[in-house]
Amino acid sequence: MNDDAIGVFDSGIGGLTAVKELNNILPNENIIYFGDTARVPYGSRSRETVLRYAKEDIEFLRQYKIKMIIAACGTVSSMLGNSSPVTDMPFTGVILPAAQTACSSTRNGKIGVIGTPATIRSAAYSKAIKAISPHVKVIGVPCPLFVHLVENGYTNRDNKITILAAKEYLEPIKAEGVDTLIMGCTHYPVIKDIIADIMGSDVKLISSGAEAAKFAYNCLIENELLSDRTEKGKNTFYVSDSTELFKENAKSFLGHTVDGEVFGSSIGEG
Ligand code: DGL
């Protein structure tokens, strides 16, 4: 048993998909979240830069008492590949958890993956899927505008700009006949309704952030690290840009006010 917090980080608000799921399945755990909002997006940067940012994000979380780290960012996870930047506590990214769920979900052996340009270029999801199910066909498409649209609040189901961008990215994947689509960037579930409207109800959408949270739950059990706290756990958020902007965006994302204190931190360059 361990009462330390679970550390979660992302380049922005996308990692809240993991926090939301953690709050559902592990309501008594404390969460410390870092969103590098001053340096989002990571997905258009080089591997070296993304890995440097990830290292700094992890160092930031390590100032606090944490027992596990979740890289709730598809871009960071795909740059890391199979390597873990942390050896003294459990760590997970989003790739393997989402790949496992997609492989057990597909019936026709065709899985779509959408992510940032860096994530799709790395082919990390494709490699992880093929390691589990070698015969599955993987169709990966980068969606460079999605993170910007989400971070700027263009998230309503009827938002014309986001619908237009989504059609451009998703119609080719739909035409391939996938029955499962991994939202490989943790920002994307924020526009899940738009994605679902285009893909149709027969296509199962997989949230990489939520899958990482479920994976973390199992890691904590295996390592006997669950808290035995009986009261509700606390969320604490740190962001490298404006706390007000984060609260505003998080609200449109979560559908309610962010549940926890939000602090600014000086890690970002912006
Ligand atoms: N949520 C991050 C991801 O999953 C966004 C990446 C970015 O900042 O470009 O990839």
Side-chain angles (χ1 to χ4, degrees):
M1 292 299 154
N2 185 314
D3 279 342
D4 291 350
I6 303 170
V8 181
F9 72 94
D10 178 40
S11 58
I13 63 165
L16 294 178
T17 23
V19 175
K20 197 173 175 182
E21 185 65 18
L22 285 171
N23 287 165
N24 274 339
I25 57 181
L26 290 168
N28 306 111
E29 296 287 342
N30 286 343
I31 315 280
I32 296 185
Y33 183 84
F34 177 64
D36 196 3
T37 49
R39 301 193 292 197
V40 67
Y42 283 8
S44 45
R45 300 180 195 273
S46 69
R47 179 185 151 79
E48 290 66 35
T49 302
V50 172
L51 289 177
R52 177 162 58 84
Y53 286 177
K55 196 166 164 233
E56 290 169 5
D57 300 343
I58 289 167
E59 285 318 308
F60 179 85
L61 287 173
R62 277 183 178 282
Q63 298 173 74
Y64 306 97
K65 288 183 79 178
I66 50 170
K67 58 186 172 187
M68 167 159 200
I69 295 180
I70 304 176
C73 176
T75 306
V76 167
S77 309
S78 55
M79 295 299 114
L80 286 169
N82 290 329
S83 67
S84 171
V86 174
T87 49
D88 57 339
M89 66 179 83
F91 171 87
T92 185
V94 300
I95 309 284
L96 181 64
Q100 283 176 340
T101 306
C103 288
S104 32
S105 143
T106 186
R107 295 287 162 259
N108 71 2
K110 289 184 191 169
I111 298 175
V113 181
I114 49 174
T116 64
T119 294
I120 299 302
R121 227 179 11 247
S122 76
Y125 278 105
S126 177
K127 286 177 201 156
I129 290 168
K130 290 201 176 284
I132 303 166
S133 304
H135 301 300
V136 163
K137 181 168 182 202
V138 183
I139 296 106
V141 170
C143 305
L145 292 178
F146 277 180
V147 169
H148 301 275
L149 292 166
V150 169
E151 288 284 332
N152 288 288
Y154 287 63
T155 51
N156 281 342
R157 193 175 194 155
D158 57 1
N159 189 289
K160 289 195 175 60
I161 299 175
T162 307
I163 292 173
L164 197 68
K167 280 190 173 155
E168 171 86 11
Y169 298 142
L170 299 175
E171 276 169 357
I173 310 185
K174 189 173 162 57
E176 293 276 352
V178 303
D179 67 353
T180 304
L181 179 69
I182 298 179
M183 295 180 284
C185 166
T186 52
H187 279 68
Y188 298 178
V190 184
I191 51 168
K192 185 177 177 195
D193 289 343
I194 294 177
I195 295 173
D197 286 345
I198 296 166
M199 294 306 294
S201 53
D202 295 347
V203 176
K204 175 146 171 73
L205 300 184
I206 293 181
S207 159
S208 51
E211 294 309 320
K214 292 178 203 157
F215 192 90
Y217 175 85
N218 289 327
C219 277
L220 292 173
I221 292 179
E222 274 163 28
N223 290 279
E224 298 182 2
L225 285 173
L226 283 178
S227 164
D228 55 5
R229 189 179 292 112
T230 50
E231 73 276 18
K232 192 171 175 297
K234 210 170 65 172
N235 294 330
T236 311
F237 301 93
Y238 295 90
V239 289
S240 52
D241 200 348
S242 155
T243 53
E244 288 315 307
L245 266 181
F246 174 79
K247 284 188 210 164
E248 217 174 277
N249 282 341
K251 193 172 165 192
S252 78
F253 170 48
L254 295 168
H256 56 76
T257 320
V258 69
D259 179 14
E261 284 188 287
V262 183
F263 299 98
S265 87
S266 58
I267 187 177
E269 295 161 340

